């Protein structure tokens, strides 16, 4: 099985110390794929510090030089992969940026080039802010030759005219009706691929995530844990359940203790796996 970790919301507002505290040790075991916001707008996201929320000012990543240096070093050591996480992430109109916004192809192209040049890396994956994308957003991602972190589905951008859409739709429906857990495949939509994230958050149920992990492992599929560094200390909403960070650690322990698990970056898994639907 291929295992990967996706962490969303690194931006101007992130400090190297925060990332180091959460991933300093574990990123020596395997790579962490960071979904980075190139020009974070200080809106309502929890990744934006409270005192900045609602100002709607724009903060380019390069204004945080210690973070840029830290990311560049981490990339060169193979500890971090960089993915594109929107352009501004937050918009005053309140809707998810890539659900129905304007100039999305330009935003993908510009955001990608900016991060690639600033951090000296290659980007292969786009993660939509708030896990929400629409038809135009998905077209912009495919046009740029990127893959999607997350799954769009028929209602959020898969082409209704494509045969691949409906064969995938039927396959996933069969899988769920048969009691299948998660999405153990990388999905091939023809012009791009998609990899589902398994949320590791305060509302997540760790036993469910472990069951999805085991199911993917038995099939030799893929498992992508999706989390936020700013949430690792937050307790679970379920009584007596582990914090977000402890939940992720349990999944990592499962991954590193099983020789059948290969831990790679999200970009490597989505582009290299042979477990494709
Ligand atoms: Zn986000």
């Amino acid at each position: 099985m291929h295992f990967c970790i996706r962490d969303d919301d690194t931006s101007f507002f992130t400090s190297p110390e925060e990332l180091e505290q959460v991933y300093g040790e574990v990123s020596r075991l395997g790579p962490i794929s960071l979904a980075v916001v190139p020009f974070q707008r200080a809106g309502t996201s929890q990744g934006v510090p409270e005192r900045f929320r609602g100002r709607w000012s724009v903060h380019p990543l390069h204004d945080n030089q210690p973070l840029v240096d830290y990311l560049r070093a981490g990339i060169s050591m193979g500890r971090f992969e960089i993915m594109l996480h929107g352009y501004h992430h937050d918009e005053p109109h309140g809707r998810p940026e890539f659900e129905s916004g304007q100039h999305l192809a330009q935003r993908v192209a510009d955001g990608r080039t900016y991060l690639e040049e600033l951090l000296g890396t290659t980007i292969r994956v786009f993660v939509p802010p708030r896990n929400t994308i629409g038809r135009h957003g998905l077209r912009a991602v495919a046009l740029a030759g990127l893959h999607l972190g997350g799954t769009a589905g028929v209602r959020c951008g898969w082409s209704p005219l494509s045969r691949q859409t409906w064969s995938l739709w039927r396959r996933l429906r069969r899988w769920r009706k048969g009691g299948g857990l998660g999405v153990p495949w990388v999905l091939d939509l023809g012009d791009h691929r998609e990899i589902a994230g398994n949320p590791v958050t305060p509302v997540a149920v760790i036993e469910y995530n472990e069951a999805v992990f085991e199911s993917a492992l038995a099939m030799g599929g893929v498992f992508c844990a999706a989390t936020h560094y700013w949430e690792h200390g937050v307790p679970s909403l379920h009584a007596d359940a582990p914090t977000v960070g402890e939940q992720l650690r349990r999944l990592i322990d499962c991954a590193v203790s099983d020789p059948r698990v290969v831990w790679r970056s999200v970009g490597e898994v989505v582009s290299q796996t042979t477990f494709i639907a």
Side-chain angles (χ1 to χ4, degrees), residues 3-7 196-200 223-227 248 251:
F3 174 76
C4 51
I5 297 178
R6 173 187 131 191
D7 185 294
N198 296 282
V200 180
F223 183 94
C224 175
T227 186
L248 183 68
L251 293 167

Side-chain angles (χ1 to χ4, degrees), residues 8-9 37 45 85 89 128-130 228:
D8 297 355
D9 292 347
V37 186
S45 286
H85 191 36
H89 195 289
R130 300 180 196 279
H228 301 98

Side-chain angles (χ1 to χ4, degrees), residues 151 153-154 158 162-176 183 185-190 192-194 276-277:
T151 51
V154 173
W158 288 1
S162 148
R163 268 203 313 187
Q164 180 71 354
T165 290
W166 298 107
S167 97
L168 263 182
W169 182 80
R170 278 191 298 272
R171 186 167 186 176
L172 291 172
R173 194 179 58 161
R174 253 197 330 268
W175 169 248
R176 290 195 190 105
V183 182
W185 304 276
V186 162
L187 307 181
D188 190 345
L189 276 301
H192 72 283
R193 291 179 175 185
E194 303 186 355
I276 295 169

Side-chain angles (χ1 to χ4, degrees), residues 32 50 73 82 100 108 115 127 141 167 188 199 205 212 221 260 266:
I32 308 296
E50 259 179 51
I82 304 300
S100 57
V108 170
L115 286 184
V127 175
V141 170
S167 97
D188 190 345
V205 175
V212 176
R260 293 170 295 171
V266 174

Side-chain angles (χ1 to χ4, degrees), residues 208-268:
Y208 178 78
N209 271 331
E210 285 175 340
V212 176
F213 181 99
E214 288 298 329
S215 160
L217 180 62
M219 296 171 76
V222 301
F223 183 94
C224 175
T227 186
H228 301 98
Y229 66 90
W230 48 260
E231 206 164 48
H232 273 216
V234 177
S236 169
L237 292 180
H238 309 287
D240 302 323
T243 65
V244 170
E246 287 162 353
Q247 291 182 49
L248 183 68
R249 190 64 214 214
R250 263 168 68 166
L251 293 167
I252 289 173
D253 289 344
C254 292
V256 295
S257 63
D258 194 310
R260 293 170 295 171
V261 178
V262 176
W263 182 352
R264 293 282 184 269
S265 69
V266 174
E268 282 175 315

